[in-house]
Amino acid sequence: MAAISIFFDTNIIEAQFTHDKVNLMFHNKIVPNTLFYDITSYIKSIKNEERVDLYISSISWEEMSLHLKENHKTSKDKFCKYIEAFNKAYGDTLDLSYEFKHNSIEQYNEYLEVIKGEFLSANNCNIIDYPKNVECFEQLVYKCVHKQSPFQKAKGSRKDFSDAGFKDALILETIICHKRDTGNTCIFITNDGDFGNESDIHICSNLDIFKNTISQILGIQNIDTVRARLNDEYIKETIVAATGNAYDESVSSFDIVDIVPIAEDDDLFDITIKTTINETEYNIKCQYEMSSNNVEVLEYHIENE
């Protein structure tokens, strides 16, 4: 099993936009917040996918589904009223027709299940149910009575006090129990400020916090820092010189294709460079050492011979 479990909150797995003061969601497929894609893309970039599992609590998954169903009904109703008003205004001078492919609630619900499954499959995400035992219930009661997060912040004007704290607490307890059962390090991605600091869980609200968090967990340096250093003129000159060329106007492109941390040594990185010099395309394999800022070219070959 993976060493790191990443959980996404409801506000990360759903995206909304506003048009003409109408809040809309995407209904042709499940479209998450851009932070979801930023997180998953970064995991791929550091080549540690095998150590990471992605999760969504059943509470968040059901809440997102409810939001989609409610938004589908309200936005469809408003659209139909707009059309009705324009037809009334323009009469037989307007020929406007439309069709919703999933017109009834039953049709939309059936379609929703399809696109939800496609999203989970495409992103390799797992739904995990909340714990349904006495221990979990007692823990929630304790947190509520002692005003521990997220209960103490549920009075905010942004949320309905009646259920906001309870839903958040169930999500949090799901993650805590998962950590206890698996021993995995758990990261929770959320834009919700109602979650306080949890000693057992790393809570991240943006990409930079996530990068720093997972870098510390994995014991690796920040990939972005390595990339920035490899774009230094001296480093480029060193790499190009190993091919018997000079880093000058003859170099029309210099692309860093891959940066892979070497698992047994968090100071070393395997680097792949593609560069075009005098219209000759070179594929270069290097090794970079963070502490010394030194790069060694291991091998290269010409791709367009």
Side-chain angles (χ1 to χ4, degrees):
M1 181 175 283
I4 302 172
S5 297
I6 299 177
F7 285 79
F8 296 97
D9 198 6
T10 312
N11 51 54
I12 305 299
I13 58 173
E14 66 179 27
Q16 299 187 20
F17 64 98
T18 303
H19 177 73
D20 196 21
K21 298 182 180 180
V22 177
N23 290 327
L24 295 168
M25 297 178 71
F26 298 89
H27 295 281
N28 60 320
K29 61 180 180 179
I30 303 299
V31 177
N33 186 303
T34 54
L35 183 56
F36 177 89
Y37 290 122
D38 290 340
I39 296 291
T40 53
S41 295
Y42 186 74
I43 293 169
K44 292 177 182 177
S45 75
I46 60 175
K47 306 297 181 183
N48 269 277
E49 294 170 272
E50 74 284 351
R51 296 187 61 186
V52 176
D53 279 338
L54 305 182
Y55 290 96
I56 300 168
S57 76
S58 59
I59 298 295
S60 293
W61 195 237
E62 184 60 30
E63 186 176 25
M64 179 207 69
S65 301
L66 180 61
H67 290 169
L68 282 167
K69 292 174 184 178
E70 291 174 343
N71 186 258
H72 171 71
K73 183 180 185 308
T74 56
S75 57
K76 185 167 77 73
D77 289 347
K78 287 181 180 179
F79 177 80
C80 292
K81 288 180 180 178
Y82 275 124
I83 299 301
E84 183 180 338
F86 275 97
N87 281 330
K88 180 178 180 180
Y90 286 91
D92 58 9
T93 65
L94 176 66
D95 183 13
L96 184 61
S97 61
Y98 66 93
E99 179 185 6
F100 284 97
K101 291 184 178 179
H102 312 103
N103 194 44
S104 69
I105 295 175
E106 292 76 15
Q107 288 174 329
Y108 181 75
N109 289 348
E110 184 177 339
Y111 178 70
L112 182 57
E113 291 304 311
V114 172
I115 60 176
K116 284 163 60 179
E118 291 173 346
F119 174 83
L120 294 175
S121 177
N123 294 283
N124 199 25
C125 281
N126 307 284
I127 303 300
I128 185 168
D129 204 2
Y130 60 91
K132 300 173 182 177
N133 52 49
V134 174
E135 182 182 354
C136 172
F137 178 75
E138 290 177 344
Q139 185 67 19
L140 292 178
V141 171
Y142 180 87
K143 287 185 176 183
C144 181
V145 171
H146 291 82
K147 298 180 180 180
Q148 293 183 4
S149 67
F151 286 105
Q152 84 274 22
K153 294 184 180 181
K155 294 180 181 179
S157 59
R158 293 187 300 107
K159 286 194 170 185
D160 181 356
F161 177 74
S162 64
D163 69 349
F166 185 69
K167 284 189 296 187
D168 290 348
L170 272 178
I171 293 170
L172 209 54
E173 206 61 30
T174 301
I175 303 173
I176 291 171
C177 289
H178 174 80
K179 175 179 174 60
R180 183 193 62 205
D181 295 342
T182 64
N184 286 5
T185 299
C186 291
I187 302 175
F188 184 36
I189 312 298
T190 178
N191 285 329
D192 195 338
D194 286 348
F195 291 99
N197 294 323
E198 292 289 334
S199 58
D200 290 338
I201 301 171
H202 301 274
I203 297 179
C204 301
S205 58
N206 59 55
L207 182 60
D208 288 335
I209 295 174
F210 174 76
K211 285 181 178 180
N212 292 333
T213 298
I214 199 165
S215 293
Q216 292 173 12
I217 294 170
L218 294 172
I220 62 173
Q221 297 289 342
N222 195 313
I223 298 294
D224 291 342
T225 301
V226 177
R227 187 178 298 277
R229 291 190 182 185
L230 290 172
N231 278 304
D232 180 79
E233 291 294 304
Y234 170 74
I235 296 294
K236 289 182 176 180
E237 289 173 358
T238 302
I239 293 172
V240 171
T243 68
N245 295 283
Y247 186 73
D248 54 23
E249 64 276 2
S250 65
V251 180
S252 58
S253 68
F254 187 94
D255 299 318
I256 302 166
V257 177
D258 216 357
I259 302 174
V260 181
I262 297 177
E264 61 269 18
D265 190 338
D266 59 17
D267 194 41
L268 290 174
F269 297 80
D270 284 330
I271 312 296
T272 302
I273 303 288
K274 284 190 176 182
T275 182
T276 302
I277 307 170
N278 289 322
E279 299 184 354
T280 302
E281 298 174 3
Y282 292 84
N283 188 300
I284 307 171
K285 302 291 185 181
C286 313
Q287 197 166 89
Y288 176 76
E289 185 177 57
M290 279 284 292
S291 57
S292 64
N293 194 32
N294 181 63
V295 64
E296 178 186 358
V297 174
L298 303 177
E299 62 179 9
Y300 72 89
H301 66 269
I302 297 173
E303 294 194 328
N304 61 342
E305 282 187 311

Coordinates of all heavy atoms in Angstrom, one line a residue, residues 7 57-60 128-133 136-137 140 143 149-151 163-177 188 195:
F7 N -6.3 13.2 0.6 CA -7.8 13.4 0.6 C -8.1 14.7 0.0 O -7.5 15.7 0.4 CB -8.4 13.2 2.0 CG -8.4 11.8 2.5 CD1 -7.2 11.2 3.0 CD2 -9.5 11.1 2.5 CE1 -7.2 9.9 3.5 CE2 -9.6 9.8 3.0 CZ -8.4 9.2 3.5
S57 N -13.6 11.4 0.6 CA -14.5 10.8 1.6 C -15.9 10.7 1.0 O -16.3 11.5 0.1 CB -14.5 11.6 2.8 OG -15.3 12.8 2.6
S58 N -16.6 9.7 1.4 CA -18.0 9.5 0.9 C -18.9 10.7 1.2 O -19.8 11.0 0.5 CB -18.6 8.2 1.5 OG -18.7 8.3 2.9
I59 N -18.6 11.4 2.3 CA -19.3 12.6 2.7 C -19.1 13.7 1.6 O -20.1 14.3 1.1 CB -18.9 13.1 4.0 CG1 -19.2 12.1 5.1 CG2 -19.6 14.5 4.3 CD1 -20.7 11.8 5.3
S60 N -17.9 13.9 1.2 CA -17.6 14.9 0.2 C -18.1 14.5 -1.2 O -18.7 15.4 -1.9 CB -16.0 15.1 0.1 OG -15.5 15.7 1.2
I128 N -13.8 6.6 0.1 CA -13.7 5.9 1.4 C -14.8 6.3 2.3 O -15.1 7.5 2.4 CB -12.3 6.1 2.0 CG1 -12.1 5.3 3.3 CG2 -12.0 7.6 2.2 CD1 -10.7 5.3 3.8
D129 N -15.5 5.4 2.9 CA -16.7 5.7 3.7 C -16.3 6.1 5.1 O -15.2 5.8 5.5 CB -17.6 4.4 3.8 CG -19.0 4.8 4.1 OD1 -19.3 6.0 4.2 OD2 -19.8 3.8 4.2
Y130 N -17.2 6.9 5.7 CA -16.9 7.3 7.1 C -17.0 6.2 8.0 O -17.8 5.2 7.8 CB -17.8 8.5 7.4 CG -19.3 8.2 7.4 CD1 -19.9 7.7 8.5 CD2 -20.0 8.4 6.3 CE1 -21.3 7.4 8.5 CE2 -21.4 8.1 6.2 CZ -22.0 7.6 7.4 OH -23.3 7.3 7.3
P131 N -16.3 6.2 9.2 CA -16.4 5.1 10.2 C -17.8 5.1 10.8 O -18.3 6.2 11.2 CB -15.3 5.5 11.2 CG -15.1 7.0 11.0 CD -15.3 7.3 9.6
K132 N -18.3 3.9 10.9 CA -19.7 3.8 11.5 C -19.6 2.9 12.8 O -20.1 1.8 12.8 CB -20.6 3.1 10.5 CG -20.7 4.0 9.2 CD -21.5 3.3 8.1 CE -21.6 4.2 6.9 NZ -22.3 3.5 5.7
N133 N -19.0 3.4 13.8 CA -18.8 2.7 15.0 C -19.0 3.6 16.2 O -19.0 4.8 16.1 CB -17.5 2.0 15.1 CG -16.3 2.9 14.8 OD1 -16.2 4.0 15.4 ND2 -15.4 2.5 13.9
C136 N -16.1 6.2 16.9 CA -16.2 7.4 16.1 C -17.2 8.4 16.6 O -17.0 9.6 16.7 CB -16.5 7.1 14.6 SG -16.8 8.5 13.6
F137 N -18.4 7.9 17.0 CA -19.4 8.7 17.5 C -19.0 9.4 18.8 O -19.2 10.6 19.0 CB -20.7 7.9 17.7 CG -21.8 8.7 18.3 CD1 -22.6 9.6 17.5 CD2 -22.1 8.6 19.7 CE1 -23.6 10.3 18.1 CE2 -23.2 9.3 20.2 CZ -23.9 10.2 19.4
L140 N -16.7 12.3 18.0 CA -17.4 13.4 17.5 C -18.1 14.2 18.6 O -18.1 15.4 18.7 CB -18.4 13.0 16.5 CG -17.8 12.4 15.2 CD1 -19.0 12.0 14.2 CD2 -16.9 13.5 14.4
K143 N -15.5 16.2 20.6 CA -15.0 17.4 19.9 C -16.1 18.5 19.9 O -15.8 19.6 20.0 CB -14.7 17.0 18.4 CG -13.4 16.3 18.3 CD -13.0 16.0 16.8 CE -11.7 15.4 16.7 NZ -11.3 15.2 15.3
S149 N -12.0 21.9 16.6 CA -12.3 22.0 15.2 C -12.9 20.7 14.6 O -12.5 19.6 15.0 CB -11.0 22.4 14.5 OG -10.1 21.3 14.5
P150 N -13.8 20.8 13.7 CA -14.3 22.1 13.1 C -15.5 22.7 13.7 O -16.1 23.6 13.2 CB -14.6 21.6 11.6 CG -15.1 20.2 11.8 CD -14.3 19.6 13.0
F151 N -16.0 22.1 14.9 CA -17.2 22.6 15.5 C -17.2 24.0 15.9 O -18.1 24.8 15.7 CB -17.6 21.7 16.7 CG -18.1 20.3 16.2 CD1 -17.3 19.2 16.4 CD2 -19.3 20.2 15.7 CE1 -17.7 18.0 16.0 CE2 -19.8 18.9 15.3 CZ -19.0 17.8 15.5
D163 N -25.4 22.0 10.3 CA -24.8 20.8 9.8 C -23.4 20.9 9.3 O -22.7 19.9 9.1 CB -25.6 20.2 8.6 CG -25.5 21.0 7.4 OD1 -25.0 22.2 7.5 OD2 -26.0 20.5 6.3
A164 N -22.9 22.2 9.2 CA -21.6 22.4 8.6 C -20.5 21.7 9.5 O -19.7 21.0 9.0 CB -21.3 23.9 8.5
G165 N -20.5 22.0 10.8 CA -19.5 21.4 11.7 C -19.6 19.9 11.7 O -18.5 19.2 11.7
F166 N -20.7 19.3 11.6 CA -20.9 17.9 11.7 C -20.3 17.2 10.4 O -19.6 16.2 10.5 CB -22.4 17.5 11.9 CG -22.6 16.0 12.1 CD1 -22.1 15.4 13.2 CD2 -23.2 15.3 11.1 CE1 -22.3 14.0 13.4 CE2 -23.4 13.9 11.2 CZ -22.9 13.3 12.4
K167 N -20.7 17.8 9.3 CA -20.1 17.2 8.0 C -18.6 17.3 8.0 O -17.9 16.3 7.6 CB -20.7 17.9 6.8 CG -22.1 17.6 6.5 CD -22.6 18.2 5.2 CE -22.6 19.7 5.2 NZ -23.2 20.3 4.0
D168 N -18.1 18.4 8.4 CA -16.6 18.6 8.4 C -16.0 17.6 9.4 O -14.9 17.0 9.1 CB -16.3 20.0 8.8 CG -16.6 21.0 7.7 OD1 -16.9 20.6 6.5 OD2 -16.6 22.2 7.9
A169 N -16.6 17.4 10.5 CA -16.1 16.5 11.5 C -16.1 15.1 11.0 O -15.1 14.3 11.3 CB -16.9 16.6 12.8
L170 N -17.1 14.7 10.3 CA -17.1 13.3 9.7 C -16.0 13.1 8.7 O -15.4 12.1 8.7 CB -18.5 13.1 9.1 CG -19.6 12.5 10.0 CD1 -20.9 12.4 9.2 CD2 -19.3 11.2 10.6
I171 N -15.8 14.1 7.9 CA -14.7 14.0 6.9 C -13.4 13.9 7.6 O -12.6 13.0 7.3 CB -14.7 15.3 6.0 CG1 -16.0 15.3 5.1 CG2 -13.5 15.3 5.1 CD1 -16.2 16.6 4.4
L172 N -13.2 14.7 8.6 CA -11.9 14.7 9.4 C -11.7 13.3 10.1 O -10.6 12.8 10.1 CB -11.9 15.8 10.4 CG -10.6 16.4 10.8 CD1 -9.8 16.9 9.5 CD2 -10.8 17.6 11.7
E173 N -12.8 12.8 10.7 CA -12.7 11.6 11.4 C -12.5 10.4 10.4 O -11.8 9.4 10.8 CB -14.0 11.3 12.2 CG -13.9 10.4 13.4 CD -12.9 11.0 14.4 OE1 -12.8 12.2 14.5 OE2 -12.2 10.2 15.1
T174 N -13.0 10.5 9.2 CA -12.7 9.5 8.2 C -11.2 9.4 7.9 O -10.6 8.3 7.8 CB -13.4 9.9 6.9 OG1 -14.8 9.9 7.1 CG2 -13.1 8.8 5.8
I175 N -10.6 10.6 7.8 CA -9.1 10.6 7.5 C -8.3 10.1 8.7 O -7.4 9.4 8.6 CB -8.7 12.1 7.1 CG1 -9.5 12.6 6.0 CG2 -7.2 12.1 6.8 CD1 -9.3 14.0 5.6
I176 N -8.7 10.5 9.9 CA -8.0 10.1 11.1 C -8.1 8.6 11.3 O -7.1 7.9 11.6 CB -8.6 10.8 12.4 CG1 -8.3 12.3 12.3 CG2 -8.1 10.2 13.6 CD1 -9.0 13.1 13.4
C177 N -9.2 8.0 11.0 CA -9.4 6.6 11.2 C -8.6 5.8 10.1 O -8.0 4.8 10.3 CB -10.9 6.2 11.1 SG -11.8 6.6 12.5
F188 N -4.6 16.4 3.7 CA -6.0 16.8 3.4 C -6.0 18.1 2.6 O -5.5 19.2 3.1 CB -6.8 17.0 4.6 CG -8.3 17.3 4.4 CD1 -9.0 16.8 3.4 CD2 -8.9 18.2 5.3 CE1 -10.3 17.1 3.2 CE2 -10.3 18.5 5.2 CZ -11.0 17.9 4.1
F195 N -11.3 24.1 9.2 CA -10.5 23.0 9.7 C -9.3 23.6 10.5 O -8.5 24.3 9.9 CB -10.0 22.0 8.6 CG -11.2 21.2 8.0 CD1 -11.7 21.7 6.8 CD2 -11.6 20.1 8.6 CE1 -12.8 20.9 6.2 CE2 -12.7 19.4 8.0 CZ -13.2 19.8 6.8

